């Protein structure tokens, strides 16, 4: 009984969250195979009451696997996902490698679950900043028709992996103690006590002046929402928060939505929790969203500078709904469809 699952990148920030979520949700497992680089081969990780040994990722790692969850970077996915598919497993890929491929469904289960059925062996998991945006945009689009979206992100360092978290911690300590000991390795500028309008940390800028992260948000949102001409622009910013991405979002709709109507619509939206009581200083915070599964929305208000405008503040855990949880929700939907575990 159960399915055989491989986690590729099992030692990483996303991979370890995947293991935690598989355990929490009691995912029906027959076998769990942990794969990473040769650096980690032979190390052990705890899963439930067991100690599992990490194996080096190889072309033949997918024999007998039903579902492989990939989060070891785009180049690893490009090289190994084809071997996974050849071995008969479905790859749920957390990287940008296949997201914009027209034959690959790009899925957020609350938004476009119907796309899962169209897969040909690969299902892509969107970028974290896209996921938390579309779970809120979709119900607004259904109710009033989306016309234009302007989004600015405030992204946690864990989006850039364990080494980035380590850099924030060590740099902060070095500045506070005035030790000058820490030498930056990951971010192009000081991240402690700062805000960097550049994600990712290298190869970020395109000829149009946007970063790759900004163009991911734009293109992925259009694909998931099935609105290829949606007017949407993004500015993505890294801030010294460890976990939880925040977004300031301005939306224009075809039909006017009042603040009350918007609350009513979002209160029924799957995966969304409204946290919006400004009189009592209640609104979404990264510290509150960390470790939670929902996408939180608050500061809901009408934008009086345009005819049908809304402002929203959207926060979610980038490692959970933004990555590991969304991938596992896709895997759960695959199980429902195919009943491979029956
Ligand atoms: P991380 O903390 O740096 O972990 C990287 C993981 O990849 C580690 O398990 C590492 O294994 C493994 N790895 C690296 N090179 C490998 C290789 N050649 N073969 C096999 N495994 C290899 O990074 P992370 O934050 O978990 O992110 C990993 C990837 O997930 C990112 O590059 C990105 O593509 C994707 N991601 C997606 C989202 C999203 O928005 N949905 C968010 C964050 C990350 P070792 O420990 O052995 O080095
Ligand atoms: O920095 C963040 O907050 C999110 C980072 C995501 C990321 C990091 C490295 C490579 C991605 C991604 O998921 O788009 C990738 C990538 O796969 O290209």
């Amino acid at each position: 009984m159960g399915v055989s699952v491989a986690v590729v990148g099992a030692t990483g920030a996303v991979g370890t969250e995947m293991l935690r979520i598989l355990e929490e949700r009691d995912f029906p497992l027959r076998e769990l195979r942990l794969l990473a680089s040769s650096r980690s081969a032979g190390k052990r990780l705890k899963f439930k009451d067991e100690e599992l040994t990490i194996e080096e990722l190889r072309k033949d790692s997918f024999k007998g696997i039903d579902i492989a969850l990939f989060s070891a970077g785009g180049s690893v996915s490009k090289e190994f996902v084809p071997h996974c598919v050849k071995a008969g497993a479905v790859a749920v890929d957390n990287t940008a490698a296949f997201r914009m491929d027209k034959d690959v469904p790009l899925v957020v289960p609350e938004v476009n679950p119907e796309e899962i059925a169209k897969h040909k062996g690969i299902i892509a998991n969107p970028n974290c900043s896209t996921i938390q945006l579309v779970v809120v945009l979709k119900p607004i689009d259904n109710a009033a028709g989306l016309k234009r979206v302007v989004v600015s992100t405030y992204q946690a360092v864990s989006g850039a992996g364990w080494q980035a978290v380590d850099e924030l911690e060590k740099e902060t300590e070095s500045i506070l103690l005035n030790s000058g000991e820490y030498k930056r390795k990951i971010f192009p500028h000081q991240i402690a006590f700062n805000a960097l309008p550049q994600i990712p940390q290298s190869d970020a800028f395109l000829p149009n002046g946007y970063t790759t992260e900004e163009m991911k948000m734009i293109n992925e949102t259009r694909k998931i929402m099935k609105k290829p001409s949606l007017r949407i622009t993004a500015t993505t910013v890294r801030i010294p928060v460890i976990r939880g991405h925040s977004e300031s979002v301005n939306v224009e709709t075809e039909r006017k939505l009042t603040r009350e109507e918007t609350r009513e619509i979002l209160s029924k939206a799957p995966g969304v929790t409204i946290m919006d009581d400004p009189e009592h200083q209640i609104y979404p915070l990264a510290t509150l969203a960390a470790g939670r599964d929902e996408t939180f929305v608050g500061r809901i208000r009408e934008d009086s500078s345009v005819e049908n405008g809304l402002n929203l503040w959207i926060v979610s855990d980038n490692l959970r709904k933004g990555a590991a949880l969304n991938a596992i929700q896709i895997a759960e939907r695959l199980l429902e469809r195919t009943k491979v575990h029956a």
Side-chain angles (χ1 to χ4, degrees):
M1 291 290 273
V3 283
S4 295
V5 171
V7 176
V8 182
T11 53
V14 176
T16 48
E17 199 59 36
M18 283 175 169
L19 302 185
R20 193 171 296 133
I21 295 172
L22 288 169
E23 182 165 342
E24 280 171 13
R25 293 169 83 94
D26 213 7
F27 194 90
L29 290 166
R30 185 169 64 239
E31 183 198 347
L32 180 59
R33 202 172 292 169
L34 307 186
L35 302 167
S37 78
S38 55
R39 294 178 289 275
S40 306
K43 289 185 190 161
R44 292 163 85 79
L45 282 179
K46 200 166 172 296
F47 184 80
K48 294 192 173 172
D49 294 328
E50 285 180 77
E51 290 261 322
L52 300 179
T53 304
I54 298 161
E55 297 168 37
E56 180 182 356
L57 174 64
R58 293 152 48 111
K59 289 175 185 166
D60 61 358
S61 294
F62 302 98
K63 203 164 168 231
I65 292 294
D66 299 304
I67 299 173
L69 306 171
F70 275 80
S71 68
S75 56
V76 173
S77 288
K78 275 189 189 139
E79 182 178 351
F80 288 92
V81 163
H83 296 292
C84 165
V85 176
K86 213 167 163 192
V90 179
V92 179
D93 185 35
N94 239 299
T95 80
F98 302 99
R99 286 181 192 147
M100 296 312 296
D101 186 327
K102 67 174 176 37
D103 289 329
V104 174
L106 181 62
V107 176
V108 177
E110 292 87 341
V111 179
N112 60 346
E114 69 286 353
E115 292 300 305
I116 292 174
K118 300 178 189 164
H119 82 81
K120 295 175 181 166
I122 310 173
I123 301 171
N125 197 74
N127 178 271
C128 40
S129 302
T130 309
I131 294 176
Q132 67 183 69
L133 179 66
V134 295
V135 295
V136 175
L137 290 186
K138 178 66 176 172
I140 293 175
D141 185 41
N142 287 347
L146 265 189
K147 253 173 76 179
R148 182 167 185 252
V149 180
V150 180
V151 53
S152 298
T153 70
Y154 303 70
Q155 297 182 216
V157 292
S158 55
W162 285 141
Q163 286 183 303
V165 175
D166 190 55
E167 178 143 315
L168 172 60
E169 289 173 350
K170 294 211 168 96
E171 194 174 57
T172 305
E173 192 180 86
S174 162
I175 291 169
L176 288 176
L177 298 177
N178 202 19
S179 70
E181 266 173 20
Y182 186 71
K183 297 280 171 283
R184 215 169 29 245
K185 296 183 203 77
I186 304 293
F187 295 109
H189 302 282
Q190 176 184 319
I191 181 63
F193 311 103
N194 216 351
L196 312 183
Q198 175 186 352
I199 290 169
Q201 48 276 18
S202 62
D203 301 330
F205 290 98
L206 297 165
N208 66 0
Y210 280 71
T211 61
T212 49
E213 183 85 351
E214 287 158 356
M215 290 314 298
K216 282 177 196 174
M217 285 192 80
I218 292 168
N219 293 326
E220 294 176 19
T221 300
R222 287 176 173 155
K223 178 169 175 176
I224 298 163
M225 303 279 296
K226 300 181 181 139
K227 286 183 164 273
S229 331
L230 178 67
R231 291 161 65 204
I232 170 168
T233 188
T235 301
T236 57
V237 180
R238 184 79 70 198
I239 58 164
V241 157
I242 289 185
R243 195 160 170 155
H245 284 2
S246 304
E247 295 177 353
S248 167
V249 183
N250 179 266
V251 170
E252 276 181 71
T253 51
E254 302 284 351
R255 186 176 78 72
K256 183 169 176 59
L257 286 179
T258 63
R259 185 182 183 195
E260 290 65 35
E261 281 174 311
T262 309
R263 279 169 184 256
E264 177 66 18
I265 290 159
L266 293 177
S267 70
K268 295 182 196 135
V272 175
T273 295
I274 296 180
M275 198 179 268
D276 194 26
D277 184 2
E279 271 180 39
H280 296 96
Q281 289 162 22
I282 291 174
Y283 32 68
L285 295 171
T287 46
L288 296 175
R292 299 279 296 267
D293 288 349
E294 311 96 305
T295 295
F296 296 92
V297 57
R299 301 293 324 278
I300 300 169
R301 61 208 191 277
E302 289 164 38
D303 170 7
S304 56
S305 72
V306 289
E307 213 177 327
N308 301 331
L310 290 169
N311 286 313
L312 310 160
W313 178 249
I314 301 172
V315 183
S316 195
D317 185 324
N318 53 301
L319 296 178
R320 286 182 77 89
K321 186 59 188 165
L325 174 64
N326 196 70
I328 290 166
Q329 288 171 325
I330 292 171
E332 288 172 344
R333 298 276 183 142
L334 270 173
L335 294 193
E336 280 169 24
R337 274 180 34 76
T338 56
K339 302 258 182 278
V340 278
H341 61 303

